[in-house]
């Protein structure tokens, strides 16, 4: 579904991503692990087009996206849940979701699962209860669910999540884990995560970054044997 090849990125003279390559198989979940500051968010910003790529290629379902504008990448099937969620705090829950649905309705290349408001409310019942509330007043976990719901309504081929468990209460972490498991198959997932147990529970494949470089890859069930924990613990 997704092929990232030899991606390089710089902030000024600092070489932040070095020849990063990774794949996400159809209907599968690839997890990117790494300590703070190794370049995980930078990688996702390059993928969604918020940072121009200096060198390398990004191909989604056979379609080159390396130099495509961010809003066109959404229409091509990239659904992004940014780190820190970035919901619109002054809009209601429903208005936030409508922004995702606006893109979803225009997503001409969509295929596979189509998401409706009812699907999102079924997946995250709390969003239905709180649909008229101002999104900025929700708890961190509820805002994370809102950000995922908003991304699902764009009808993505690939759902991209940047540390969805960060600062969130354990019960909601478990709910998000169950949602990711249930979504696999109907769409593909690229998950950035530092929480080893959560990553292991959902990963079909994994990639570990250290200082902008891929240092370990494998199947999710090899994470323990390949000592991934030692590469990500602080
Ligand atoms: N806008 C920026 N300008 C300059 N340096 C940045 C910027 N954003 C991130 N960095 C630096 O790039 C490195 C990678 O950051 P980031 O991709 O956010 O890491 P991660 O998501 O793995 O914690 C860090 O050293 C960070 O300080
Ligand atoms: Mg980050």
């Amino acid at each position: 579904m997704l092929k990232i090849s030899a991606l390089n990125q710089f902030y000024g003279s600092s070489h932040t991503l070095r020849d990063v390559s990774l794949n996400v198989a159809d209907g599968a979940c690839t997890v990117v692990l790494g300590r703070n500051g190794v370049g995980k968010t930078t990688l996702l910003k390059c993928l969604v087009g918020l940072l121009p790529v200096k060198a390398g290629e990004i191909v989604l379902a056979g379609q080159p996206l390396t130099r495509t504008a961010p809003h066109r990448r959404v229409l091509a099937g990239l659904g992004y849940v940014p780190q820190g969620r970035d919901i619109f705090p002054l809009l209601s829950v429903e208005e936030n979701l409508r922004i995702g649905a606006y893109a979803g309705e225009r997503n001409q290349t969509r295929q596979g699962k189509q998401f409706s408001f009812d699907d999102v409310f079924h997946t995250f019942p709390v969003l239905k209860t709180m649909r008229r509330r101002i999104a900025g007043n929700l708890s961190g976990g509820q805002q994370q669910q809102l950000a995922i719901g908003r991304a699902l309504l764009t009808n993505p081929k690939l759902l991209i999540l940047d540390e969805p468990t960060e600062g969130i209460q354990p019960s909601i972490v478990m709910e998000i884990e169950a949602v990711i498991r249930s979504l696999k198959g109907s769409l593909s997932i690229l998950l950035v995560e530092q929480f080893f147990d959560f990553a292991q529970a959902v990963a079909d494949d994994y990639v570990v970054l250290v200082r902008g470089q891929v240092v370990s890859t494998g199947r999710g069930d090899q994470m323990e044997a390949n000592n991934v924990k030692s590469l990500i613990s602080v």
Side-chain angles (χ1 to χ4, degrees), residues 11 16 35-42:
Y11 291 116
T16 310
R35 296 183 180 116
N36 273 334
V38 296
K40 304 181 299 298
T41 296
T42 301

mmCIF file of all heavy atoms in Angstrom, residues 11 16 35-42, ligand 1:
data_model
loop_
_atom_site.group_PDB
_atom_site.id
_atom_site.type_symbol
_atom_site.label_atom_id
_atom_site.label_comp_id
_atom_site.label_asym_id
_atom_site.label_seq_id
_atom_site.Cartn_x
_atom_site.Cartn_y
_atom_site.Cartn_z
ATOM 1 N N TYR A 11 16.754 19.860 8.683
ATOM 2 C CA TYR A 11 16.345 21.152 9.243
ATOM 3 C C TYR A 11 17.622 21.991 9.211
ATOM 4 O O TYR A 11 18.537 21.737 10.005
ATOM 5 C CB TYR A 11 15.842 21.020 10.673
ATOM 6 C CG TYR A 11 14.508 20.297 10.814
ATOM 7 C CD1 TYR A 11 14.409 19.092 11.495
ATOM 8 C CD2 TYR A 11 13.338 20.857 10.286
ATOM 9 C CE1 TYR A 11 13.186 18.447 11.638
ATOM 10 C CE2 TYR A 11 12.110 20.209 10.428
ATOM 11 C CZ TYR A 11 12.042 19.015 11.107
ATOM 12 O OH TYR A 11 10.833 18.380 11.248
ATOM 13 N N THR A 16 18.173 15.215 9.416
ATOM 14 C CA THR A 16 17.209 14.636 10.363
ATOM 15 C C THR A 16 16.747 13.237 9.974
ATOM 16 O O THR A 16 16.540 12.386 10.838
ATOM 17 C CB THR A 16 15.989 15.573 10.493
ATOM 18 O OG1 THR A 16 16.472 16.889 10.742
ATOM 19 C CG2 THR A 16 15.078 15.157 11.626
ATOM 20 N N ARG A 35 13.014 6.626 20.193
ATOM 21 C CA ARG A 35 12.976 7.563 21.324
ATOM 22 C C ARG A 35 12.584 8.956 20.848
ATOM 23 O O ARG A 35 12.566 9.232 19.651
ATOM 24 C CB ARG A 35 14.362 7.627 21.975
ATOM 25 C CG ARG A 35 14.791 6.308 22.586
ATOM 26 C CD ARG A 35 16.151 6.461 23.290
ATOM 27 N NE ARG A 35 16.545 5.183 23.863
ATOM 28 C CZ ARG A 35 17.618 4.482 23.479
ATOM 29 N NH1 ARG A 35 18.428 4.938 22.530
ATOM 30 N NH2 ARG A 35 17.894 3.319 24.046
ATOM 31 N N ASN A 36 12.372 9.856 21.806
ATOM 32 C CA ASN A 36 12.087 11.248 21.482
ATOM 33 C C ASN A 36 13.200 11.834 20.615
ATOM 34 O O ASN A 36 14.375 11.618 20.896
ATOM 35 C CB ASN A 36 12.002 12.090 22.770
ATOM 36 C CG ASN A 36 10.605 12.057 23.350
ATOM 37 O OD1 ASN A 36 9.632 11.849 22.617
ATOM 38 N ND2 ASN A 36 10.506 12.255 24.643
ATOM 39 N N GLY A 37 12.805 12.558 19.579
ATOM 40 C CA GLY A 37 13.768 13.315 18.792
ATOM 41 C C GLY A 37 14.488 12.539 17.700
ATOM 42 O O GLY A 37 15.389 13.076 17.054
ATOM 43 N N VAL A 38 14.092 11.287 17.442
ATOM 44 C CA VAL A 38 14.805 10.509 16.407
ATOM 45 C C VAL A 38 14.306 10.828 14.995
ATOM 46 O O VAL A 38 14.929 10.426 14.008
ATOM 47 C CB VAL A 38 14.705 8.980 16.635
ATOM 48 C CG1 VAL A 38 15.382 8.585 17.937
ATOM 49 C CG2 VAL A 38 13.281 8.485 16.568
ATOM 50 N N GLY A 39 13.160 11.526 14.883
ATOM 51 C CA GLY A 39 12.677 11.914 13.551
ATOM 52 C C GLY A 39 11.353 11.288 13.144
ATOM 53 O O GLY A 39 10.957 11.369 11.970
ATOM 54 N N LYS A 40 10.620 10.717 14.087
ATOM 55 C CA LYS A 40 9.362 10.031 13.743
ATOM 56 C C LYS A 40 8.321 11.010 13.182
ATOM 57 O O LYS A 40 7.707 10.754 12.151
ATOM 58 C CB LYS A 40 8.789 9.320 15.000
ATOM 59 C CG LYS A 40 9.748 8.338 15.651
ATOM 60 C CD LYS A 40 9.151 7.642 16.872
ATOM 61 C CE LYS A 40 8.752 8.568 18.006
ATOM 62 N NZ LYS A 40 9.878 9.330 18.608
ATOM 63 N N THR A 41 8.112 12.113 13.897
ATOM 64 C CA THR A 41 7.121 13.088 13.436
ATOM 65 C C THR A 41 7.566 13.735 12.122
ATOM 66 O O THR A 41 6.754 13.974 11.222
ATOM 67 C CB THR A 41 6.885 14.164 14.529
ATOM 68 O OG1 THR A 41 6.326 13.501 15.666
ATOM 69 C CG2 THR A 41 5.934 15.246 14.063
ATOM 70 N N THR A 42 8.854 13.991 12.004
ATOM 71 C CA THR A 42 9.389 14.547 10.757
ATOM 72 C C THR A 42 9.079 13.612 9.591
ATOM 73 O O THR A 42 8.674 14.055 8.506
ATOM 74 C CB THR A 42 10.912 14.762 10.894
ATOM 75 O OG1 THR A 42 11.146 15.648 11.998
ATOM 76 C CG2 THR A 42 11.512 15.345 9.626
HETATM 77 N N1 LIG B 1 10.784 22.663 12.888
HETATM 78 C C1 LIG B 1 11.974 22.211 13.299
HETATM 79 N N2 LIG B 1 13.101 22.925 13.108
HETATM 80 C C2 LIG B 1 14.308 22.455 13.508
HETATM 81 N N3 LIG B 1 14.495 21.269 14.113
HETATM 82 C C3 LIG B 1 13.415 20.504 14.324
HETATM 83 C C4 LIG B 1 12.095 20.934 13.936
HETATM 84 N N4 LIG B 1 11.206 19.961 14.274
HETATM 85 C C5 LIG B 1 11.927 18.982 14.857
HETATM 86 N N5 LIG B 1 13.248 19.308 14.892
HETATM 87 C C6 LIG B 1 14.340 18.451 15.416
HETATM 88 O O1 LIG B 1 14.427 17.299 14.568
HETATM 89 C C7 LIG B 1 14.637 16.125 15.329
HETATM 90 C C8 LIG B 1 13.510 15.135 15.072
HETATM 91 O O2 LIG B 1 12.287 15.664 15.625
HETATM 92 P P1 LIG B 1 10.924 14.869 15.534
HETATM 93 O O3 LIG B 1 10.720 14.413 14.145
HETATM 94 O O4 LIG B 1 9.867 15.730 16.130
HETATM 95 O O5 LIG B 1 11.240 13.625 16.477
HETATM 96 P P2 LIG B 1 10.264 12.554 17.175
HETATM 97 O O6 LIG B 1 8.906 12.712 16.594
HETATM 98 O O7 LIG B 1 10.900 11.224 16.887
HETATM 99 O O8 LIG B 1 10.301 12.856 18.660
HETATM 100 C C9 LIG B 1 14.765 16.577 16.773
HETATM 101 O O9 LIG B 1 16.134 16.731 17.064
HETATM 102 C C10 LIG B 1 14.036 17.897 16.797
HETATM 103 O O10 LIG B 1 14.559 18.738 17.813
#
